[in-house]
């Protein structure tokens, strides 16, 4: 009797144990599946977020930095500039002095600026054309030419000049035509550096310097000797007048 009861108890207990083990195994499988689903869902969510973030910053980088780069870049326009060996040195000097990168493009002198009587180009008209091509919003547009340029001055409608720069930042133009008289290539380069830096100084809103300190922002009055005399730097007073925008 007792042996039979023990046998029945043993079968019952083993049946329960097997059932519990099966249930545990089933539950473990469900839990593992749930874990898999959770992990897969988590990875999918991160992937979607990364894709959205990547798309957003890609769009942002395709727009904002372009404007930022252009705003902090000076555009140099070669306008019938035959002295090509001076292009790169001029750009390097601009970057060295004003701490701003440059970009070069080829351009044309506007026909409406041509003054046939003296075979010169009106500098103000050239600057207006430079301003018109600045669609991308560069900081300044700097024109370089080997042609003679002029402006109305002292009752003369086409007074020959080295360069001209607008105080409103719309552009500037420099010519090597009048800087080539009795000069070596090295001296010509130094003269052009000073004239270009001077005209860009006007674009930054700096008028002609009236201080007694040496400064390349002084008016040359059409005299090469004045250009040679002035240093390759700006006085402290003129530096303080520089407009940041």
């Amino acid at each position: 009797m007792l042996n039979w009861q023990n046998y029945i108890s043993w079968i019952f207990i083993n049946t329960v144990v097997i059932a519990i083990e099966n249930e545990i195994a089933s539950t473990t499988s469900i839990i593992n599946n749930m874990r898999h689903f959770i992990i897969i869902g988590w990875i999918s969510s991160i992937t979607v977020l990364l894709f959205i973030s990547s798309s957003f910053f890609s769009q942002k980088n395709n727009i904002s930095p372009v404007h930022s780069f252009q705003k902090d870049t000076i555009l140099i326009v070669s306008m019938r500039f035959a002295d090509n060996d001076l292009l790169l040195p001029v750009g390097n000097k601009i970057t060295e002095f004003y701490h701003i990168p440059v970009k070069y493009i080829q351009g044309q002198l506007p026909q409406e600026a041509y003054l046939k009587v003296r075979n010169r180009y009106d500098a103000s008209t050239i600057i207006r054309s430079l301003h018109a091509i600045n669609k991308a919003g560069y900081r300044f547009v700097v024109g370089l030419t080997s042609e003679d340029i002029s402006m109305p001055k002292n009752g003369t409608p086409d007074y020959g000049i080295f360069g001209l720069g607008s105080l409103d930042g719309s552009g500037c133009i420099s010519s090597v035509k009048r800087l080539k008289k009795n000069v070596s290539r090295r001296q010509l380069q130094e003269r052009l550096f000073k004239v270009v830096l001077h005209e860009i100084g006007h674009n930054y809103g700096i008028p002609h310097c009236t201080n007694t300190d040496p400064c390349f922002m002084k008016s040359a009055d059409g005299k090469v000797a004045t250009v040679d005399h002035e240093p390759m730097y700006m006085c402290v007073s003129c530096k303080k007048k520089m407009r940041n925008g």
Side-chain angles (χ1 to χ4, degrees):
M1 183 71 177
L2 289 173
N3 289 336
W4 181 79
Q5 288 179 340
N6 289 338
Y7 179 72
I8 295 297
S9 297
W10 179 82
I11 292 174
F12 176 77
I13 291 170
N14 276 277
T15 302
V16 172
V17 169
I18 291 171
I20 291 173
E21 286 178 347
N22 289 336
E23 186 66 22
I24 290 173
S26 177
T27 303
T28 302
S29 177
I30 292 172
I31 291 173
N32 287 334
N33 287 337
M34 289 179 66
R35 284 177 178 171
H36 290 160
F37 282 124
I38 290 171
I39 292 172
I40 292 172
W42 182 66
I43 293 173
S44 298
S45 298
I46 291 177
T47 302
V48 171
L49 288 174
L50 288 174
F51 176 79
I52 294 173
S53 299
S54 175
S55 298
F56 173 77
F57 285 110
S58 176
Q59 283 185 336
K60 186 177 179 183
N61 288 336
N62 284 337
I63 297 174
S64 300
V66 172
H67 288 287
S68 176
F69 171 78
Q70 291 171 345
K71 183 179 179 182
D72 294 328
T73 302
I74 287 179
L75 183 65
I76 297 178
V77 185
S78 175
M79 313 176 83
R80 295 186 70 175
F81 188 64
D83 302 86
N84 292 323
D85 60 307
L86 298 179
L87 270 176
L88 186 59
V90 167
N92 291 338
K93 179 58 68 173
I94 291 172
T95 299
E96 176 190 331
F97 188 85
Y98 288 109
H99 306 291
I100 186 169
V102 300
K103 178 180 178 180
Y104 304 86
I105 66 169
Q106 192 74 29
Q108 296 294 329
L109 288 170
Q111 286 299 317
E112 61 271 23
Y114 183 62
L115 303 172
K116 188 176 181 179
V117 177
R118 296 198 182 185
N119 193 30
R120 295 174 183 169
Y121 287 83
D122 179 66
S124 296
T125 304
I126 296 173
I127 290 176
R128 285 195 294 272
S129 72
L130 291 172
H131 179 64
I133 68 173
N134 191 17
K135 305 296 184 183
Y138 288 94
R139 175 65 65 87
F140 304 124
V141 184
V142 177
L144 293 177
T145 185
S146 297
E147 299 295 324
D148 202 10
I149 61 175
S150 63
M151 64 175 288
K153 184 177 180 180
N154 301 330
T156 304
D158 53 357
Y159 185 88
I161 57 176
F162 304 135
L164 184 67
S166 62
L167 292 174
D168 62 5
S170 56
C172 63
I173 179 69
S174 298
S175 169
V176 296
K177 180 73 173 182
R178 295 172 176 270
L179 301 176
K180 290 183 175 181
K181 298 177 180 178
N182 303 319
V183 67
S184 67
R185 204 63 181 169
R186 182 184 63 80
Q187 289 174 310
L188 174 61
Q189 179 174 276
E190 289 185 359
R191 286 177 177 178
L192 184 59
F193 284 170
K194 292 177 184 179
V195 171
V196 171
L197 295 179
H198 174 103
E199 304 308 341
I200 294 176
H202 286 322
N203 281 175
Y204 272 109
I206 306 171
H208 281 143
C209 181
T210 57
N211 295 327
T212 56
D213 297 331
C215 179
F216 66 57
M217 286 308 297
K218 284 183 168 57
S219 174
D221 287 327
K223 299 175 183 177
V224 176
T226 304
V227 177
D228 291 336
H229 176 73
E230 296 304 339
M232 195 76 70
Y233 57 82
M234 193 184 293
C235 71
V236 175
S237 178
C238 285
K239 284 184 177 180
K240 290 180 179 179
K241 297 176 183 178
M242 280 185 66
R243 183 177 56 237
N244 292 327

